[in-house]
Amino acid sequence: MPILHFHLLKQEQRKKLINEIQDLVLPDAPFFTPTMKSGTPFNYEMTNCGEFGWISDRYGYRYTKEHPTTSQAWPALTPNLQKLIEFLKRHEILEQNFKAQTCLINKYEKKGKLGLHQDNTEENLTAPIISISLGVPGIFLLGGFKRTGSLQEILLEPGDIFILSGEDRLRYHGFKGILGDGKRINLTIRQVN
């Protein structure tokens, strides 16, 4: 199925992922605020782990091998992220040849949001995109293949997995905001090439 949405991660598993981000990623790849070409900041903070990291600044959207402020290589995908990818392959949710090359780590707080966009910066536009929700719930926006048109609001709870694949991989989507107080961490695993 091109779009999958299911609950998978229990609280203990979510806590392990958060701890790994704090201990294995953030010391070498701290959160930063991406900007548009105009210099306007996005409404969230982010970092990455894996072979590549996604960034945006006055030079546009792209993947790099280095953190934009530290100039250090991105930390490796964490052990529990790798275990999760293997679990999804073992249960035939992901193809065996899927190669997790990056994990975008977006942090949303009270006014955090992300406008409608397509994930089309990757060389490989056929590999699925896997989203993992941690922290407080939030509202995901799912549209069609043009920026205009109707939007579906989808509640993403902590521990939810949301996968866009097949032709649906290029649907416009965004993030409306979190529900309640707290923070939301969204992990987006992608194959770049």
Side-chain angles (χ1 to χ4, degrees), residues 35-52:
T35 63
M36 298 177 202
K37 281 186 177 181
S38 64
T40 304
F42 282 61
N43 292 304
Y44 63 87
E45 290 184 300
M46 72 172 301
T47 191
N48 298 270
C49 61
E51 180 183 352
F52 298 101

Side-chain angles (χ1 to χ4, degrees), residues 31-48 54-62 68 104-121 147 173-175 190:
F31 281 115
F32 62 94
T33 302
T35 63
M36 298 177 202
K37 281 186 177 181
S38 64
T40 304
F42 282 61
N43 292 304
Y44 63 87
E45 290 184 300
M46 72 172 301
T47 191
N48 298 270
W54 186 92
I55 66 170
S56 177
D57 56 22
R58 61 185 175 143
Y59 301 109
Y61 308 146
R62 65 195 184 283
L104 286 67
I105 304 168
N106 290 2
K107 179 174 72 172
Y108 297 95
E109 298 190 66
K110 192 68 175 173
K111 295 183 180 179
K113 61 183 177 179
L114 177 58
L116 286 180
H117 66 283
Q118 289 177 304
D119 290 332
N120 58 10
T121 315
R147 189 179 294 275
H173 58 280
F175 184 68
R190 301 178 184 173

Side-chain angles (χ1 to χ4, degrees), residues 160-179:
D160 281 4
I161 308 289
F162 194 90
I163 300 175
L164 290 174
S165 63
E167 69 173 19
D168 290 304
R169 185 200 182 284
L170 288 173
R171 283 184 179 272
Y172 277 89
H173 58 280
F175 184 68
K176 185 175 182 179
I178 65 173
L179 299 177

Side-chain angles (χ1 to χ4, degrees), residues 32-101:
F32 62 94
T33 302
T35 63
M36 298 177 202
K37 281 186 177 181
S38 64
T40 304
F42 282 61
N43 292 304
Y44 63 87
E45 290 184 300
M46 72 172 301
T47 191
N48 298 270
C49 61
E51 180 183 352
F52 298 101
W54 186 92
I55 66 170
S56 177
D57 56 22
R58 61 185 175 143
Y59 301 109
Y61 308 146
R62 65 195 184 283
Y63 285 95
T64 69
K65 292 206 168 191
E66 296 177 351
H67 190 284
T69 59
T70 69
S71 298
Q72 298 298 312
W74 300 105
L77 291 174
T78 68
N80 279 290
L81 277 175
Q82 293 180 38
K83 284 180 189 175
L84 177 58
I85 293 297
E86 291 308 313
F87 174 89
L88 295 174
K89 286 181 178 181
R90 198 166 52 251
H91 288 84
E92 300 182 350
I93 297 167
L94 293 178
E95 300 276 341
Q96 291 302 310
N97 63 356
F98 176 80
K99 187 177 178 186
Q101 293 180 296

